[in-house]
Amino acid sequence: MEKRQINMKSQLILNNKIVEDDWETIMLPKIDVEVKKQAGKVVMFKLTGDDSPTPEQVNNTKFSASGNIILPMKVFLKHKAQLQTRLKNKEIGIWIDTHEEIESFIEEIKDINAFPILAIRVGKFADGRIFSIGSQLRTKFKYKNILRAFGDVLRDQLFFLKRTGFDSYLIREDRNANDALNALKDFTLPYQGAINDPKPAWKKVNRDKKRD
């Protein structure tokens, strides 16, 4: 399982509680980027022109030989054969960025539920793709284990992340995790059904009940 007991310094929320993090998230090495302007906006361009992550990043990513780790998806694929024992022991999770194609890695890993945890990184708060990714993982690909959001994860996202299938949220370090936890209770009875609660509000209300 992802957590044991509450640590008030933790930024991780799992199943409506603040918990300690038993997983080490392995990040990709940084690469040089070039700043350009395009249509009046500042856009970041990688000097290599390669897709993200680059082969150089994948090849240079280091991770521990034991313990629970969440690897970048392409790093896992590179070392897949050597990691099979650790995967069977539930020590390996994977993460992707919101711009990465889900279908491509699911075809390669075959059984998505072999991973005890999948994590999606939000690069920018305004990136709404994470919601459709969560929904796809839960409905189309039938993922049943821990689904974590991390990166630029703030209070205002949590209620909607939960409705699209997420149950684990690593809150940005400069924000209050206790305040973010309260966001899961922002709405008591959403009208529409969702991944976490398929029944819509109108099916929960007894309209035939006589009023006093």
Side-chain angles (χ1 to χ4, degrees), residues 135-192:
S135 181
Q136 279 189 304
L137 287 169
R138 293 300 194 192
T139 57
K140 182 177 180 179
F141 301 110
K142 308 300 181 185
Y143 183 64
K144 300 176 182 178
N145 300 323
I146 295 170
L147 185 57
R148 176 187 288 191
F150 77 107
D152 197 17
V153 177
L154 308 179
R155 184 194 197 281
D156 291 348
Q157 296 159 298
L158 261 61
F159 184 83
F160 302 100
L161 285 169
K162 182 177 180 179
R163 283 177 61 76
T164 52
F166 288 86
D167 52 9
S168 177
Y169 324 91
L170 188 60
I171 307 303
R172 208 172 73 185
E173 290 186 359
D174 63 335
R175 299 304 172 98
N176 188 307
N178 285 284
D179 180 54
L181 181 62
N182 292 328
L184 297 174
K185 305 173 185 177
D186 276 352
F187 304 95
T188 57
L189 189 63
Y191 184 77
Q192 295 179 319

Side-chain angles (χ1 to χ4, degrees), residues 28-58:
L28 294 159
K30 293 183 178 180
I31 57 172
D32 293 329
V33 294
E34 180 182 358
V35 178
K36 295 182 180 179
K37 278 195 173 182
Q38 179 175 301
K41 297 180 180 179
V42 174
V43 182
M44 304 301 285
F45 293 86
K46 287 182 287 297
L47 294 177
T48 61
D50 291 328
D51 290 336
S52 177
T54 67
E56 180 184 7
Q57 285 178 296
V58 172

Side-chain angles (χ1 to χ4, degrees), residues 59-76:
N59 292 335
N60 292 334
T61 299
K62 307 297 182 184
F63 55 90
S64 57
S66 61
N68 297 337
I69 56 174
I70 305 175
L71 291 171
M73 178 265 293
K74 289 187 178 180
V75 174
F76 169 78

